[in-house]
Amino acid sequence: MTDSDNGKLDTSMNLRVFTFLGCLLACIGSFAQTDSLATKTSYKKRVLDATELDFLMSYYTQEGENAAVTGGIGTEELTDVTPTIVVTIPLSDDEVLSIDAGISAYTSASSSNVNPFDGDQEADPYVASSGASKSDILSTLQLAYSHSSNDRNTIWSINTAIATEYDYFSVGFGGSFTRLFNQKNTELSANVNIYLDTWNAIYPSELRDQPSFVPFEDEARNSYSLGLGLSQILSKKLQGSLSVDVIYQEGLLSTPFQRVQFSDIPDLIIQNFTYADDVERLPDSRFKIAGGGRLHYYLNEKIIFRSFYRYYADDWNIRSHTASIEIPYKITDNLTVYPSYRFYNQRAADYFAPFNEHLSTQEFYTSDYDLSKFNANQFGLGISYTDIFTKIHVFSFGLKKVDISAHYYERDSGLNAMIVSGGISFVLE
């Protein structure tokens, strides 16, 4: 991937990516075979001593006035509650099974306006419709199995996932490989994941019976990702890591219910609502690459500095920079607070334009402000309590850790959001 603005990458680029994936998997296989022939140690510590149980919960709320569902204007109010349970089970000294099940229940003012006329109020992009599309539930289930070598220097894993909601279904699978060297001071890792998604396309209500409207023929979307990582302990106080992620997507990358209005076609306004001229149309392929690094510095027994930077680019001409810092401060052996700050800068995709500024002669178009130019800031504060000796018990489970955090996010386009999340970890004794 280069920084040129020439549009889609050619087919040869994609073939090189998949050839590289194949070579990587072959190398992983040879590493695993070598490790299986290694001399077994007389004693080894279990990877996981006992079953662990995590209860996670988050509450997210946002507001703004650039809803893509109504063409780049209108309310973006949304709330989302996400309870999740994660069970991690040791199958043997070397094997661990993880089960992650959760739901995401949301209410969205913007998606309620897929049909702004099915409620009991006047249609208006800045007012949520009370119709059926105002809320939905996303259900997810993930399974992961990992195996560690006798010397704990080689770890491989496989995973699978399923996600479903009213108009969307996804199945995914993948694996990872990690190798430690240099007395565990150096770590190399690789992961590969594939997601196969299917839309049940829902279009804006005013377009469904329009003879001139052309629905999408293919409602499938496939995503392929490769991640490579290098972590190194640089000194007693400094640790660094580098990572590269490559993603290729193909299929229906447009959101079927996001409207677009054309400036060269007269507007049709009913009540306070501007009808769509078409839905979002985006290319059927996308190539993404991101590279970043982390530095963690141990200042003293109380303070650690954690910094992160990432650069992202894709063939839709989006470029972005992410930088963040987190400073955990240990108040006591059990209690830690961690303030954080994150900055994000993004250049717009070639296909973005605000409400009513696209032309009907264009091939691709979107008014989704997630693909626009913007800067964003995020401020956070978290508190973590660790029960070192699991003194607190609930039935047969001892308390391991409690985490609570809050983050405030704002874009210069007007979107702002708040997320409060927490988790409680138990270990079976």
Side-chain angles (χ1 to χ4, degrees), residues 133-249:
S133 59
K134 67 179 180 180
S135 61
D136 200 357
I137 294 178
L138 170 67
S139 302
T140 61
L141 176 64
Q142 301 179 59
L143 302 176
Y145 167 86
S146 67
H147 181 278
S148 298
S149 63
N150 289 319
D151 60 8
R152 302 298 183 247
N153 286 330
T154 302
I155 306 166
W156 61 268
S157 70
I158 55 175
N159 63 80
T160 185
I162 294 176
T164 181
E165 59 181 317
Y166 181 75
D167 61 340
Y168 183 79
F169 178 80
S170 174
V171 59
F173 49 91
S176 67
F177 179 82
T178 302
R179 183 75 176 180
L180 285 79
F181 304 92
N182 189 24
Q183 297 181 333
K184 302 187 189 301
N185 290 322
T186 305
E187 178 182 306
L188 289 172
S189 62
N191 64 81
V192 178
N193 288 283
I194 297 173
Y195 293 95
L196 308 176
D197 309 335
T198 303
W199 290 91
N200 178 18
I202 298 174
Y203 299 103
S205 56
E206 67 270 26
L207 295 178
R208 296 170 191 171
D209 298 324
Q210 231 183 67
S212 60
F213 175 67
V214 180
F216 295 107
E217 294 182 2
D218 185 1
E219 297 184 352
R221 176 177 63 193
N222 300 332
S223 301
Y224 313 93
S225 68
L226 165 68
L228 300 173
L230 167 65
S231 178
Q232 177 68 47
I233 296 176
L234 302 170
S235 70
K236 291 183 178 180
K237 293 190 173 185
L238 186 64
Q239 179 179 357
S241 65
L242 297 172
S243 63
V244 176
D245 294 287
V246 179
I247 299 174
Y248 177 72
Q249 295 179 294

Side-chain angles (χ1 to χ4, degrees), residues 365-377:
Y365 33 80
T366 178
S367 293
D368 185 349
Y369 272 72
D370 287 346
L371 301 178
S372 71
K373 175 183 178 181
F374 65 87
N375 295 324
N377 296 278

Side-chain angles (χ1 to χ4, degrees), residues 19-219:
T19 301
F20 177 61
L21 284 174
C23 293
L24 177 67
L25 291 173
C27 292
I28 289 174
S30 66
F31 267 125
Q33 184 178 17
T34 301
D35 181 72
S36 67
L37 299 176
T39 303
K40 294 184 178 180
T41 58
S42 58
Y43 170 80
K44 59 183 176 183
K45 179 177 173 61
R46 290 172 66 90
V47 175
L48 185 67
D49 290 326
T51 297
E52 295 186 359
L53 184 62
D54 296 325
F55 294 97
L56 310 174
M57 175 72 76
S58 68
Y59 173 77
Y60 174 86
T61 180
Q62 74 172 39
E63 59 181 21
E65 297 185 347
N66 297 117
V69 175
T70 44
I73 62 170
T75 177
E76 293 180 89
E77 289 184 9
L78 180 147
T79 60
D80 181 87
V81 178
T82 308
T84 304
I85 297 176
V86 181
V87 183
T88 308
I89 305 168
L91 301 179
S92 69
D93 289 351
D94 307 321
E95 302 166 299
V96 175
L97 175 67
S98 177
I99 305 170
D100 184 332
I103 62 172
S104 176
Y106 69 87
T107 300
S108 171
S110 62
S111 66
S112 73
N113 280 318
V114 171
N115 185 355
F117 303 98
D118 64 352
D120 54 7
Q121 73 287 313
E122 190 174 69
D124 190 313
Y126 293 95
V127 178
S129 170
S130 56
S133 59
K134 67 179 180 180
S135 61
D136 200 357
I137 294 178
L138 170 67
S139 302
T140 61
L141 176 64
Q142 301 179 59
L143 302 176
Y145 167 86
S146 67
H147 181 278
S148 298
S149 63
N150 289 319
D151 60 8
R152 302 298 183 247
N153 286 330
T154 302
I155 306 166
W156 61 268
S157 70
I158 55 175
N159 63 80
T160 185
I162 294 176
T164 181
E165 59 181 317
Y166 181 75
D167 61 340
Y168 183 79
F169 178 80
S170 174
V171 59
F173 49 91
S176 67
F177 179 82
T178 302
R179 183 75 176 180
L180 285 79
F181 304 92
N182 189 24
Q183 297 181 333
K184 302 187 189 301
N185 290 322
T186 305
E187 178 182 306
L188 289 172
S189 62
N191 64 81
V192 178
N193 288 283
I194 297 173
Y195 293 95
L196 308 176
D197 309 335
T198 303
W199 290 91
N200 178 18
I202 298 174
Y203 299 103
S205 56
E206 67 270 26
L207 295 178
R208 296 170 191 171
D209 298 324
Q210 231 183 67
S212 60
F213 175 67
V214 180
F216 295 107
E217 294 182 2
D218 185 1
E219 297 184 352

